[in-house]
Amino acid sequence: MSETRPAPPVARGWQVDESRRMAALDSYDLESLRNSAGLKQITDFAAALCGTPVALVSLVEETRQVFLSRTGVDVAETPRHTSFCAHAMLGDQVMVVPDATLDPRFAANELVTGDMHIRFYAGAPLVSDDGVPLGSLCVIDSVPRDGLTPLQEQGLRTLAENIMVRLRDSRDAAAWRAAENNTRRALVDSEDRFRTLADTMPQMVWSTLPDGYHDYYNARWYEFTGTPEGSTDGEGWNGMFHPDDQDRAWTVWRHSLTTGEPYNIEYRLRHFDGTYRWVLGRALPIRDDNGTITRWFGTCTDIQEQKMALEEREVISHELSHRIKNIFAVISGLISFAARSTPGFAPIATDLRERITALGRAHDFVRPHSPASRPSAQQDSLHGLLGELFAPYHRGDVTTVKVVGDDIAIDDRSATPLALLFHELATNATKYGALSTAGVVELTVTRGAERAQLHWVERGGPAVVAPAQGGGFGSQLIELSAVRQLGSTVTRDWRHEGLVVTIEVPMAAFSREHN
């Protein structure tokens, strides 16, 4: 007996036009975004922001919902008739289901009664520029919850807007590729056919002679700028840029004219209403059979809304990181309070505070920063992170822990175990090893195809004696951070002249980009 499935839901009093929705979905280059690192960062952040084990970017198709990105689940799609997101995409706000078993829409849903065991759900709608509902960014938990905080709701909406930016970029890139092919054919057929094509594009289109003289703009350019036709020919176009962007735009454009490299730049362009809006300018050269440039064709795409959404996401990310930093400070304060109340706890408290401080430095290094607070070292740099961690161990101007060799890209996932690992090694060297006297440590990083070697060598300290079997809490902490979290192997060589530690780390453990 076939299963009866509910009809597509109704939103705001109008019936969803499924053919229009399918056409809208088809206009995006979804394959270029499926399981992309950029979307994975968004679902990872959404899950962390809302404290849920699962976060999904779900697009609702005719018979199924597909997950462009997913955190916390392996399944790539589910039938549409089970979709919570098919409801969430029709609203204006974040849809929150505190307990799905108490909601008549979902109580009998197989995602609630089955293995996924959905109880809590919150979804921010993904809606196209012309109001077509596409899906949602959702977070899911297997236990009921009261709801989301205002910050979490705002964060979900901001992340959903960022997803739409990426979807629009994929559509624009596909349109750009199609337009480039169409433009080439139009040039072969006739100039009139090219102008007809350009005038139907949503982007502003322009072309220049090989020397960069602008001799053509499509109708969108004149609609956007409000300038009389022909008034921006030649070099007149540069006067349309924001004064602060003119020199930079000229420099990039001259470089492309000189080298033949593609032109790609963001700048502020004067709108017909007198304001300046951010646009993305792109251009490619057209060459003849001998490779000589015969013409340049370019586009200007209005990206003002995307810019604003990215800035808002930056504010949310910065605020969340700031609160996490405050948590480290609170925990350290609680430990100090406990130590004062229980004097016997003081030595342990000191060690705990130092470890928490190391974690705080690692978090502060990789967290989102404003231009004013950003560290001087590159934030995805292993050398940069280690420099921050080892700075407290230097003696005045003497660098007691020297990091040499290859640099490796890291991210927020690996920063914590790396901080714990090397804080423990440096602390032990300060108490018992080379740094307890006038000695030094050299850490050599050697990058391989699949694994990296981190070689820790202590010199100039007291004679080394291997400890008794078993090891203390510090050794267990190294085991936890290096072996369990990073998947590494740790080898210690208790040489008389100084401890040598060799750590083999899979490249995939440092950063998602290595996966």
Side-chain angles (χ1 to χ4, degrees), residues 260-271:
E261 295 177 3
Y263 178 69
N264 193 314
I265 186 174
E266 294 180 2
Y267 48 72
R268 288 161 290 182
L269 190 64
R270 191 171 70 221
H271 195 245

Side-chain angles (χ1 to χ4, degrees), residues 220-228 231 240 270-273:
R220 301 290 85 73
W221 168 269
Y222 294 111
E223 289 175 2
F224 183 95
T225 62
T227 56
S231 62
M240 302 304 299
R270 191 171 70 221
H271 195 245
F272 68 83
D273 63 7

Side-chain angles (χ1 to χ4, degrees), residues 392-423:
Y393 299 94
H394 298 328
R395 293 188 294 268
D397 296 334
V398 178
T399 301
T400 56
V401 184
K402 185 178 181 182
V403 181
V404 298
D406 301 325
D407 200 1
I408 298 174
I410 63 169
D411 60 17
D412 57 310
R413 181 182 59 176
S414 61
T416 298
L418 287 169
L420 286 174
L421 168 62
F422 286 104
H423 166 77

Side-chain angles (χ1 to χ4, degrees), residues 451-477:
R451 301 178 72 82
Q453 184 185 87
L454 310 178
H455 196 56
W456 173 280
V457 179
E458 300 185 20
R459 298 187 181 93
V464 172
V465 178
Q469 290 292 101
F473 179 73
S475 297
Q476 297 176 29
L477 195 60

Side-chain angles (χ1 to χ4, degrees), residues 59-343:
L59 296 182
V60 180
E61 298 183 350
E62 186 174 5
T63 60
R64 61 178 184 166
Q65 63 174 348
V66 296
F67 307 137
L68 282 191
S69 178
R70 54 192 187 272
T71 295
V73 295
D74 295 327
V75 63
E77 63 179 63
T78 60
R80 175 171 175 168
H81 72 278
T82 66
S83 172
F84 285 53
C85 296
H87 296 265
M89 71 179 182
L90 302 176
D92 294 318
Q93 303 297 326
V94 175
M95 185 184 89
V96 178
V97 180
D99 187 345
T101 63
L102 304 179
D103 192 315
R105 295 173 296 176
F106 309 115
N109 190 305
E110 60 195 63
L111 299 181
V112 177
T113 60
D115 293 338
M116 284 197 69
H117 198 68
I118 293 178
R119 292 297 179 268
F120 172 79
Y121 170 95
L126 301 176
V127 182
S128 70
D129 293 336
D130 52 354
V132 177
L134 306 175
S136 83
L137 166 66
C138 67
V139 292
I140 295 171
D141 205 339
S142 58
V143 295
R145 294 174 48 166
D146 292 336
L148 299 176
T149 67
L151 177 65
Q152 289 169 335
E153 283 202 19
Q154 182 184 8
L156 273 190
R157 290 195 299 269
T158 300
L159 293 174
E161 290 170 1
N162 186 262
I163 292 168
M164 290 309 305
V165 169
R166 294 172 185 271
L167 285 171
R168 283 191 292 269
D169 284 347
S170 77
R171 179 193 61 198
D172 291 344
W176 170 259
R177 291 191 295 269
E180 182 184 3
N181 293 333
N182 290 338
T183 299
R184 292 177 184 272
R185 287 194 296 270
L187 284 172
V188 172
D189 295 339
S190 71
E191 185 70 13
D192 289 340
R193 293 185 64 181
F194 162 71
R195 290 176 180 270
T196 300
L197 171 65
D199 281 342
T200 60
M201 290 182 61
Q203 288 94 356
M204 293 168 272
V205 179
W206 48 269
S207 71
T208 80
L209 300 177
D211 62 0
Y213 183 92
H214 287 70
D215 64 349
Y216 170 75
Y217 299 91
N218 73 340
R220 301 290 85 73
W221 168 269
Y222 294 111
E223 289 175 2
F224 183 95
T225 62
T227 56
E229 188 168 348
S231 62
T232 53
D233 288 354
E235 297 181 358
W237 61 276
N238 197 46
M240 302 304 299
F241 295 165
H242 191 284
D244 293 342
D245 298 338
Q246 291 181 8
D247 290 343
R248 179 171 57 90
W250 263 116
T251 299
V252 176
W253 178 230
R254 288 194 189 100
H255 176 77
S256 293
L257 291 176
T258 301
T259 63
E261 295 177 3
Y263 178 69
N264 193 314
I265 186 174
E266 294 180 2
Y267 48 72
R268 288 161 290 182
L269 190 64
R270 191 171 70 221
H271 195 245
F272 68 83
D273 63 7
T275 62
Y276 286 91
R277 294 179 64 84
W278 280 99
V279 301
L280 171 64
R282 288 171 170 166
L284 291 173
I286 302 300
R287 302 177 185 269
D288 60 20
D289 293 340
N290 297 320
T292 302
I293 296 176
T294 60
R295 182 165 283 275
W296 286 83
F297 285 100
T299 61
C300 296
T301 304
D302 188 338
I303 59 170
Q304 179 72 15
E305 281 70 28
Q306 294 93 310
K307 275 280 191 181
M308 297 302 100
L310 288 174
E311 288 180 6
E312 188 174 354
R313 186 191 69 168
E314 177 82 8
V315 171
I316 295 295
S317 299
H318 189 272
E319 175 64 19
L320 181 62
S321 293
H322 179 70
R323 295 189 181 196
I324 293 173
K325 186 177 179 181
N326 287 342
I327 291 173
F328 283 119
V330 170
I331 294 174
S332 182
L334 290 174
I335 293 173
S336 297
F337 180 78
R340 288 194 299 270
S341 303
T342 310

